[in-house]
Amino acid sequence: MKRLILASAFLFCLGAAAAPLPYQLDGTEVRDIHSASLKRDYQLLVALPESYGRSQRRYPVLFVTDADYAFPVARAIASRLAKHAGMEEAIVVGLSYAKGDTPGYSRRRDYTPSTPRLQTYTSDMPGRAPAFGEAGAYGRFIAGEVFPLIAAQYRADMRRKAFVGHSYGSLLGLEILLTKPATFEHYILGSPSLWFDRGVLFAREEAYARAQRDLPASVYFGIGGRETLAPGKRRSRSEEDADMVADLKEFDSALTSRRYRSLRTRLEVFPGEDHASVFPLVFTHGLRAWLDKPR
């Protein structure tokens, strides 16, 4: 009996010692950052290029929203294009959701340009009312607190920065574009939720055009061909009745009609892709529009 107990204990310990470990991404680091301006805590997920450890050069930097999903995707695509397609290497920085918040709560607050005037939302955090409209403040956090940390800790070429966003993340990108466009040298914006708050960003674009003569930016827009209005519905500026493809084409046309001397835009619609599937294609093509080397 004693021998059986010892054998069972040995097998238990062996099983415990052999417990599977979580998978880690090579060449990545996690840095905590407390935002003094927002009074919240975040994390920066940083992927370094393969050549980083054996070179002394500085690298362009990609700042990627919705890091929980988008960071590993962007890291893998950027690495693969650099290794197999001759694209320039880059540092990838993932911007996490706020610690203690659900992803939905954090991104609705940090990525949206306003509080919806007509639509109602239910908070997914008990005891906390829904929060919106802090994209301006979050954009200042990126420029004023994230940029200095990355510049101090890595060989980042801070004269070559790209913003990467999708859906609500693209709303944040557009808010930055229409307030402080020189924050980034390139914007990769996928499937922006231009229906948000009854199309408030269309009004922001018009206001910018009345006040400014130029828009110094490079912008790549991408969207899935299936992000259109469902059959039998009438298009409106609401989430339920939005034609996101038509909205994006209208927004891009408005920008190009201003004939800004320093603005470069490109829009691609990917047939067969929807809101959930299109990001890898948007990122790939948007990155190529910025970093592809001449052949």
Side-chain angles (χ1 to χ4, degrees), residues 54-227:
R54 59 179 186 271
S55 81
Q56 291 302 314
R57 70 177 184 269
R58 294 187 176 275
Y59 296 83
V61 195
L62 302 163
F63 292 87
V64 183
T65 58
D66 287 305
D68 284 17
Y69 161 72
F71 172 75
V73 175
R75 168 198 171 273
I77 292 173
S79 175
R80 189 166 182 82
L81 290 177
K83 184 179 295 185
H84 300 293
M87 187 172 294
E88 186 176 356
E89 290 180 298
I91 296 171
V92 180
V93 179
L95 303 167
S96 82
Y97 304 124
K99 288 186 177 181
D101 288 351
T102 64
Y105 193 94
S106 183
R107 70 195 302 268
R108 279 180 175 176
R109 177 194 58 223
D110 291 343
Y111 295 173
T112 57
S114 60
T115 299
R117 290 160 289 183
L118 297 177
Q119 290 163 294
T120 58
Y121 292 84
T122 301
S123 173
D124 63 351
M125 296 195 70
R128 295 174 63 180
F132 294 91
E134 295 190 23
Y138 189 81
R140 291 188 291 274
F141 155 67
I142 295 173
E145 300 180 69
V146 174
F147 284 0
L149 187 153
I150 295 300
Q153 298 297 327
Y154 302 98
R155 294 195 313 278
D157 185 350
M158 300 304 285
R159 299 167 302 176
R160 301 176 68 201
K161 305 179 300 298
F163 177 95
V164 181
H166 182 258
S167 194
Y168 272 21
S170 289
L171 291 185
L172 170 63
L174 288 173
E175 173 70 14
I176 296 171
L177 178 71
L178 295 174
T179 52
K180 292 189 178 296
T183 302
F184 295 92
E185 286 65 50
H186 185 59
Y187 293 80
I188 300 173
L189 304 178
S191 307
S193 302
L194 288 164
W195 49 263
F196 181 80
D197 193 11
R198 301 293 175 176
V200 66
L201 279 168
F202 286 92
R204 300 264 176 107
E205 187 279 326
E206 292 175 359
Y208 183 94
R210 288 194 298 269
Q212 304 293 335
R213 292 179 177 270
D214 198 13
L215 180 52
S218 165
V219 185
Y220 175 88
F221 290 119
I223 194 166
R226 296 171 64 182
E227 297 186 67

Side-chain angles (χ1 to χ4, degrees), residues 224-226 269-274 277:
R226 296 171 64 182
V269 179
F270 296 95
E273 305 298 335
D274 58 27
S277 68

Side-chain angles (χ1 to χ4, degrees), residues 191-260:
S191 307
S193 302
L194 288 164
W195 49 263
F196 181 80
D197 193 11
R198 301 293 175 176
V200 66
L201 279 168
F202 286 92
R204 300 264 176 107
E205 187 279 326
E206 292 175 359
Y208 183 94
R210 288 194 298 269
Q212 304 293 335
R213 292 179 177 270
D214 198 13
L215 180 52
S218 165
V219 185
Y220 175 88
F221 290 119
I223 194 166
R226 296 171 64 182
E227 297 186 67
T228 55
L229 192 62
K233 289 204 169 187
R234 183 177 179 181
R235 182 186 173 202
S236 71
R237 295 276 192 245
S238 68
E239 183 175 8
E240 297 78 13
D241 300 315
D243 186 327
M244 294 182 66
V245 174
D247 283 350
L248 184 54
K249 288 181 176 179
E250 182 180 334
F251 192 88
D252 183 61
S253 294
L255 284 176
T256 56
S257 72
R258 312 301 182 189
R259 301 187 182 279
Y260 295 121

